[in-house]
Structure formats: structure tokens, C-alpha cells
Amino acid sequence: MTSTWVEPSNTATALLLLGRGSDPATERGVECPGDLPAPSDPDLVARAAAAKAALGTKVFVLGHHYQRDEVIQFADVTGDSFKLAREAAARPDAEYIVFCGVHFMAESADILTSDAQKVILPDLAAGCSMADMAVLTQVEAAWDTLTDLGVAADTVPVTYMNSSADIKGFVGRNGGVVCTSSNAKRALDWAFEQGRKVLFLPDQHLGRNTAVLEMGFSLDDCVLYDPHKPNGGLTAEQLRDAKMILWRGHCSVHGRFTLDSVNDVRERVPGVNVLVHPECRHEVVNAADLVGSTEFIIRTIEAAPAGSAWAVGTELNLVRRLALAHPDKQIMFLDRAVCYCSTMNRIDLPHLVWALEELVAGRVVNQITVDPETARHARAALDQMLALPGA
């Protein structure tokens, strides 16, 4: 019996993004099983504070940099995805880890924390479009293709932190490593010591930018593997010759920045510094003044002199927060059109209040768990990252 994939209707897709449906082929979840407080409830802040106080040290709230301000105010720690997962692991006495981020981040926290701790995602519909672009069955099929060509044995899989636990587990099973945007070069240096080529998942831009701009590879050394085409849309010769096999994935927020965005802001704001994340397109990164991870962007803005102007190519919540925190500097979003991370923005104050109040009532909701076998292999890939020189 053969199955046929059917393109979801616009209505079904819209309902999914609103958290009122499910898609078993992605990491996103379903609607909340309880009744959410109304967004207009004037007591939401007080209710969140009261619930958090009632739970005391039993709860530890993590807030990703891209979260809304209304949520960030209740975070015990803010940071990028890997920093937050490590912070959770460093709090073994916290029974509940409430992760205000997206699904793959909560999975990483579950992998790194103890079995006694429960990781909660306030809204299961908070996923990551980039992570969804690399599905385990697709990656396994690609690996089979490399095996048939006789190159898999000399290929090291490297996955960005922004990937599902399934993909991290695949990488761990096949002797690879996880990387972040700040240690991608160290991870790739290690990978090329183990093999002759790398399969880089799932963000093509981070892989290409690191290989070409930091490691001296050429664009010809990189090929783009499209999982929706036979053999990734590549010839056997291309796959054999490539040093970097880049997965066809990208961040929907960082991918929107273009060379026109850079040229436009330079025309409008004389002397502006363009600062972008390495998930941006290659031509954008090439045209920028500085490139770095979210933490690098924050440190750079903090250290910048008063009066300087900065156009920042990353998620809008963070850019707005930086602008408010540094009124002595001119800080703006790189693109004229605003763009939040829509799935990250699923975590709002009503969902946080609901999750905390359910915990106060003794009910654990939206717990994120990774099966032990997947977690074991994913942990191996994460541990390999922690063992990298300079990590």
C-alpha cells in the first residue's frame, strides 16, 4: 500500500499556527487541554507572580532572548537555547523547568536534566520552522544515499542546536556533534579531523557562512541537499566531491534579511554599523560589518560607544529590548518590515499563567519528554560538543 502526501489547506495551516490543530509530521504540538486566561485579564501579571511565588524553588523559569517582554519579566534566567538548557541542568533541585522558548529547546533541557525533573513548554504549538525542515526519515534517507555512494563512512554529521531531539540522536548514533552559532567553527574543525566531508543540518546558512568565511572553503566546496528531490537534487559526482553537504533548511526570521536591506539602511543612516546573526544569507553576512551569535550581538551592543548607530539583523523582540536598554545609542531593526519569530511568540502571558497555575494545583501540563534511547544518543552528540577545544 502506498501513501500520498497531501498539501494541507490554508485553513488547516492557519489553525495549526494558532495552536488549534496538530501535525504529527512536525515537532509542533496541539492546543492546550485547559482554559486559558483571557489576554485582556488585568490580573495576569499578578497571577503569574503569585503562582511563581507559591511554587518557590520547585520551579525554574527559562526565557529565550526572543521571547516577549511580558514573559521575559518572569524568567529566572535569560539566554540562548543551549545556555538555558545548561542552566536547567545546573538546577537539580528544581522539580519543574518551565521553558519559555520552542519545542527543540525544551527537548534539549529534558535531555540534559535528571529524570526527576519535568520540563514544561507553556504552549505546545511553539515550534521552530527550521527544526521542522529536517525530519528524521528524510535525514536517514539522505544517509542511505551517501552510504550507497560509498561516502557515508567518511562523512561526519553535524547538527545545529536548532534541531529536534530525533536529529540530535541521529547525529550521536553516527559519530557526529551538535554545534551552536558561536562554536560552529570549532565543531567543524573537529568534524574534519574525523572525516573528509560534513553533512550539516538543518541550517544551510550557518554551515555555508562558517565554512566559507571562517574556514577558507569556497562556495564550490558546498552543495545544497534538498530532501524533497531524488538524491537531494545532486549528482553522484557532486556528492562525492563536496566537502560540505548543506541541508536545505533556514530560519524564517533571519532568512528574510536581504542585501537590499543592508544597502537601504546604509543609505538612510550614514555611519550605521550592520550587525547580523550567522543564520542570515551569505550575501547579507558578507555585506555586514559584524557577524555573531545572539550573545555576541548583545555583548557588542552593550560595549558600543554612546551615539553609535546599529542596524541589527535578528529577531525583533531582542532588537526592541536592546534599543530600550541602550537609549544612548541608535538601535534599529535591519529590515523596514518588522518580523517576530511567530512560533516563539506563541508563548505569551496567558499560556505562562495557565502553566504555572496548573502546577500550583498539582497538575503537570505540556510536559516535554524524549525517549531514553533517543536521549542517550543525543546526549552523546551534546557531550561531544562540550568536549570541543575551547568549549
Side-chain angles (χ1 to χ4, degrees):
M1 177 181 175
T2 59
S3 60
T4 303
W5 184 79
V6 179
E7 179 77 32
S9 68
N10 290 337
T11 300
T13 302
L15 288 174
L16 175 64
L17 292 174
L18 289 169
R20 295 174 186 157
S22 63
D23 181 354
T26 76
E27 65 162 346
R28 289 181 297 240
V30 296
E31 59 192 281
C32 295
D35 293 327
L36 288 177
S40 59
D41 185 342
D43 297 324
L44 282 177
V45 171
R47 287 173 64 177
K52 193 164 182 281
L55 291 164
T57 57
K58 291 174 64 176
V59 69
F60 190 57
V61 180
L62 304 173
H64 191 272
H65 286 308
Y66 297 168
Q67 283 294 317
R68 305 163 179 254
D69 289 344
E70 66 187 51
V71 170
I72 280 290
Q73 66 181 313
F74 293 104
D76 294 302
V77 174
T78 60
D80 60 19
S81 58
F82 186 59
K83 174 188 173 182
L84 294 178
R86 293 185 74 176
E87 288 283 351
R91 300 296 194 285
D93 295 333
E95 184 177 349
Y96 307 119
I97 305 296
V98 176
F99 209 126
C100 298
V102 294
H103 197 275
F104 78 80
M105 300 177 188
E107 285 184 328
S108 296
D110 184 60
I111 290 166
L112 293 174
T113 52
S114 72
D115 292 342
Q117 294 174 287
K118 297 177 176 62
V119 178
I120 292 132
L121 186 65
D123 186 350
L124 291 178
C128 171
S129 59
M130 181 202 295
D132 282 342
M133 291 176 191
V135 178
L136 181 59
T137 53
Q138 296 173 332
V139 176
E140 288 177 333
W143 197 253
D144 288 342
T145 297
L146 297 180
T147 300
D148 292 342
L149 290 174
V151 298
D154 207 21
T155 301
V156 179
V158 177
T159 190
Y160 189 22
M161 191 73 184
N162 299 29
S163 57
S164 69
D166 281 344
I167 300 304
K168 292 185 180 75
F170 168 88
V171 168
R173 283 195 306 275
N174 289 282
V177 65
V178 176
C179 75
T180 67
S181 55
S182 58
N183 69 10
K185 181 181 183 298
R186 291 200 300 274
L188 287 176
D189 283 339
W190 173 86
F192 280 107
E193 290 172 1
Q194 318 306 311
R196 193 175 57 83
K197 62 177 75 233
V198 162
L199 171 63
F200 193 89
L201 304 154
D203 181 23
Q204 58 169 303
H205 300 306
L206 177 62
R208 182 182 297 107
N209 290 330
T210 305
V212 174
L213 299 179
E214 295 190 55
M215 302 179 69
F217 288 179
S218 71
L219 288 174
D220 291 337
D221 291 324
C222 308
V223 296
L224 190 61
Y225 189 98
D226 186 340
H228 302 290
K229 294 180 179 179
N231 293 329
L234 300 167
T235 65
E237 183 180 15
Q238 286 176 308
L239 287 168
R240 288 194 182 102
D241 292 346
K243 293 180 180 176
M244 290 283 291
I245 302 171
L246 305 170
W247 196 259
R248 193 179 184 88
H250 65 275
C251 170
S252 58
V253 172
H254 293 106
R256 72 171 289 111
F257 301 117
T258 64
L259 187 56
D260 285 343
S261 305
V262 178
N263 293 335
D264 176 67
V265 78
R266 290 199 191 281
E267 290 178 7
R268 289 187 289 111
V269 187
V272 69
N273 300 282
V274 177
L275 172 60
V276 303
H277 194 281
E279 290 176 19
C280 292
R281 303 173 192 223
H282 187 65
E283 60 269 24
V284 172
V285 168
N286 261 331
D289 298 299
L290 291 169
V291 183
S293 66
T294 304
E295 297 286 352
F296 173 84
I297 289 172
I298 294 170
R299 292 195 306 270
T300 300
I301 294 295
E302 288 175 344
S308 56
W310 296 85
V312 185
T314 192
E315 205 274 341
L316 184 58
N317 273 317
L318 176 60
V319 178
R320 286 180 56 252
R321 196 170 298 124
L322 288 171
L324 290 171
H326 301 278
D328 59 330
K329 303 159 193 175
Q330 188 180 0
I331 300 169
M332 67 207 76
F333 193 58
L334 177 57
D335 195 51
R336 282 180 181 269
V338 300
C339 184
Y340 294 97
C341 176
S342 59
T343 49
M344 185 80 73
N345 253 22
R346 289 287 311 169
I347 309 294
D348 56 13
L349 198 48
H351 282 89
L352 178 61
V353 168
W354 171 75
L356 292 174
E357 289 183 342
E358 289 293 294
L359 291 177
V360 171
R363 294 184 291 269
V364 177
V365 294
N366 290 6
Q367 183 178 354
I368 302 299
T369 57
V370 178
D371 72 87
E373 186 69 6
T374 299
R376 180 171 68 86
H377 292 296
R379 180 65 185 257
L382 287 165
D383 285 344
Q384 182 57 65
M385 178 177 72
L386 293 173
L388 293 173

